Amino acid sequence: MIPIDLIETTAETLMDKAAIEIPQDYLDGLKAAARTEDGDLSSFVLKAMLENYEAAKEDRRAMCGDTGVPRWFVKLGNEARIEGGFVALEAALRRATATATTGVPLRPNRVHPLWRTDHNNNVGIGAPEIEYGFEPEGAWIDLITVHKGGLFGTDYRMLFPSDGIEGIKRFYLDSLVAFGKRGLACQPAIIGIGLGGSKDTCMVLGKRASVLRTVGSRNSDPKIAAMEDEFKELGNSIGMGAMGFVGKNMVIDCNIEVGYCHTGGMQMSVHAFCLSSRRAVARLFPDGRVEHRTDPDWFTPYQRRETIEWNPQREAAE
């Protein structure tokens, strides 16, 4: 059984790391972009951001003044057991969020949508979000915190099968141009695309694609992986760079996730995980061990399974 105190203290550490330490995969991607960028203002932004990340880590301060809206993803092995159960788990994550808001500190962005009530701790009705995933083996728990911007940089469109890949490209480029020209996202970003599902699951797929996959990872479907490479290049060919200025590095990477959908439609969502790509991950074991990493490793073969019963050999063969 995993102690609830260990969950809470680990969650507090993760909140600190996500707000302050840029993940290495995104940092490497940004450095690669800086080496090839030739737009004057875009180059200036990239250089300033790289210096800012170093200063944030050295001073132990949040890398961006707008610390986004903290949320949690929890993945459990099938044999995992939690002291106090899931209610205790969720209470621990809410306490850790409130503690980090004053401790890091984070900007208390969460307010009631109508009355603008602000508890000054990023906790309230439905906040922070806690989403779950499961794996067929193991007694461990993965805690993943993501501090994603909560305003813009997201769009959705109902496409039709006849729109095809070209229709997907059009909406993708429409979204990127709008993000850049209207200042709706801070580039260069990790772009997540969700295809299929229903409207709500399509949005979830796209958001998870942007925040729960690392730069350089590729979908296990070779055809989708090829689309990811193509869409990254396409996104960087529209003449926009960092923060929407003239340049050629708007997209650090493009990740695509799919879900089966109604036969008459092809839902699509586009999400930008901004240049403060804040995420942190830890795996907790019943013996008290905690292993920190930056790769959420969310989209496993089990998460992408197509069969009724879980059959690893069949999934691997397909």
Side-chain angles (χ1 to χ4, degrees):
M1 184 173 293
I2 299 176
I4 203 67
D5 287 347
L6 180 63
I7 290 174
E8 185 169 345
T9 56
T10 303
E12 291 173 3
T13 299
L14 290 174
M15 292 287 285
D16 181 88
K17 291 175 73 68
I20 295 171
E21 301 175 14
I22 197 76
Q24 190 63 48
D25 61 283
Y26 180 83
L27 184 60
D28 291 343
L30 196 68
K31 289 179 178 177
R35 287 194 295 269
T36 61
E37 184 55 70
D38 51 19
D40 291 343
L41 289 175
S42 287
S43 295
F44 172 80
V45 171
L46 294 175
K47 181 175 181 294
M49 288 310 304
L50 289 170
E51 292 173 353
N52 177 72
Y53 296 146
E54 288 299 319
K57 191 172 181 178
E58 183 177 339
D59 297 344
R60 302 309 299 172
R61 293 180 180 273
M63 67 180 79
C64 180
D66 182 352
T67 52
V69 284
R71 63 192 301 130
W72 293 94
F73 296 89
V74 180
K75 185 185 276 192
L76 304 94
N78 194 48
E79 290 78 43
R81 298 294 180 269
I82 302 165
E83 179 188 5
F86 284 91
V87 171
L89 166 68
E90 294 200 339
L93 296 182
R94 288 169 76 90
R95 286 194 299 269
T97 301
T99 299
T101 299
T102 56
V104 174
L106 306 176
R107 193 167 80 180
N109 281 331
R110 298 281 197 165
V111 301
H112 191 287
L114 296 175
W115 326 133
R116 317 312 288 178
T117 306
D118 182 355
H119 297 306
N120 242 15
N121 58 12
N122 282 307
V123 176
I125 301 171
E129 298 88 347
I130 303 173
E131 301 179 35
Y132 294 92
F134 302 92
E135 291 292 326
E137 297 178 353
W140 44 263
I141 298 175
D142 278 354
L143 297 181
I144 307 164
T145 188
V146 171
H147 301 178
K148 189 181 186 300
L151 292 174
F152 308 110
T154 298
D155 208 348
Y156 169 86
R157 184 176 292 177
M158 170 62 81
L159 302 177
F160 295 96
S162 59
D163 289 317
I165 301 298
E166 292 306 309
I168 295 172
K169 290 179 181 178
R170 280 195 298 272
F171 180 47
Y172 171 66
L173 291 178
D174 286 348
S175 299
L176 292 189
V177 170
F179 294 169
K181 290 180 67 175
R182 298 170 59 198
L184 301 183
C186 297
Q187 302 90 13
I190 301 173
I191 302 297
I193 296 176
L195 294 172
S198 53
K199 182 174 183 178
D200 56 341
T201 53
C202 181
M203 293 294 287
V204 168
L205 281 170
K207 176 167 282 190
R208 290 181 176 179
S210 68
V211 304
L212 295 180
R213 283 182 48 190
T214 57
V215 174
S217 67
R218 284 295 171 262
N219 194 292
S220 55
D221 184 319
K223 293 181 180 179
I224 297 176
M227 285 177 61
E228 292 174 332
D229 288 334
E230 181 184 2
F231 277 44
K232 177 185 176 181
E233 183 178 351
L234 185 63
N236 286 329
S237 67
I238 60 177
M240 288 186 181
M243 300 303 286
F245 293 122
V246 173
K248 59 182 182 182
N249 286 283
M250 192 180 200
V251 179
I252 290 294
D253 212 350
C254 181
N255 302 325
I256 302 174
E257 293 296 333
V258 303
Y260 274 34
C261 61
H262 190 284
T263 185
M266 186 170 63
Q267 298 84 346
M268 178 175 175
S269 66
V270 181
H271 304 253
F273 194 22
C274 74
L275 54 76
S276 295
S277 294
R278 296 163 293 216
R279 58 172 143 79
V281 189
R283 177 164 291 186
L284 290 67
F285 296 90
D287 61 6
R289 286 181 295 132
V290 178
E291 296 178 353
H292 287 271
R293 64 182 197 271
T294 57
D295 182 357
D297 192 26
W298 186 269
F299 288 100
T300 61
Y302 183 74
Q303 300 301 317
R304 292 183 175 129
R305 66 193 184 280
E306 294 190 49
T307 55
I308 296 173
E309 303 292 338
W310 172 236
N311 186 329
Q313 289 76 25
R314 178 177 171 184
E315 295 283 343
E318 294 180 351

